[in-house]
Amino acid sequence: MPARQFFVGGNWKMNGDKKSLGDLITTLNTAALHDETEVVCGAPTIYLDFARSNLDARIGVAAQNCYKVAKGAFTGEISPAMIKDCGVDWVILGHSERRHVFGESDELIGQKVAHALENDLGVIACIGEKLEEREAGTTEKVVFEQTQVIADNVKDWSKVVLAYEPVWAIGTGKTATPQQAQEVHEKLREWIRGNISDAVADSVRILYGGSVTGANCKELASQPDVDGFLVGGASLKPEFVDIINARA
């Protein structure tokens, strides 16, 4: 079984300006980054071109969202074709803030995944339960249902990375313990094995997201089914380099 390449995504969310992001980009461009880790930075839409033009070619760039069609009367939206036209190769879809702040449904996220993949964008597809769902014991049900809708819209899994982000751990300072993360990742991989294929289960990368820091990244990265991270707040700080190098 080929080893899964470690993947670290930084989700800058709605943060930064040309000065602060320029400084961050300089830090990343000049840092010693682990050769075997794939790195992708999710820039705000208005800075996608800026990020792609200034980041070193070894670092990928992702949009944080896109719409489900190529063009049209959809004020405020962007399409995969526009993202590709900026030289950007990835998009983050289904993030919990899109689901819970902006009301995106599983169905819409699935349609976005299908359209992004049809346009040859890589997709970082996010899944994860809220605190009340974890406390009610429905974590697996929620995560499997969200993954099913994504899976229904994927033909080529080589372009998809899954990001498990327990909503209760995003930006709260609460992190799932390495054991909690591993437990969900392992069960998710077994679900993929049973519902998609052995090949996809063995090859698809499952990232952990939710208050990942320089302090906790090494222990999380040591878990057998944690194949990387989707990092929020810490991706805007120099410690992002430490997180990228968690397996170094």
Side-chain angles (χ1 to χ4, degrees), residues 102-120:
F102 297 100
E104 292 190 8
S105 65
D106 283 346
E107 181 186 22
L108 175 60
I109 291 160
Q111 291 166 338
K112 290 182 175 193
V113 167
H115 184 62
L117 291 171
E118 283 163 9
N119 284 268
D120 204 34

Side-chain angles (χ1 to χ4, degrees), residues 5-7 31-39 56 58-59 205 241 244-248:
Q5 185 184 15
F6 203 68
F7 184 110
L33 304 181
H34 189 40
D35 287 345
E36 292 169 24
T37 294
E38 185 169 4
V39 182
D56 194 272
R58 65 186 169 157
I59 300 171
R205 291 173 290 182
V241 174
I244 292 167
N245 292 334
R247 283 248 182 112

Side-chain angles (χ1 to χ4, degrees), residues 82-110:
M82 294 171 177
I83 294 167
K84 294 284 288 187
D85 195 38
C86 289
V88 171
D89 293 323
W90 289 90
V91 63
I92 301 168
L93 291 174
H95 192 278
S96 67
E97 288 150 22
R98 299 304 316 173
R99 292 175 187 271
H100 304 305
V101 179
F102 297 100
E104 292 190 8
S105 65
D106 283 346
E107 181 186 22
L108 175 60
I109 291 160

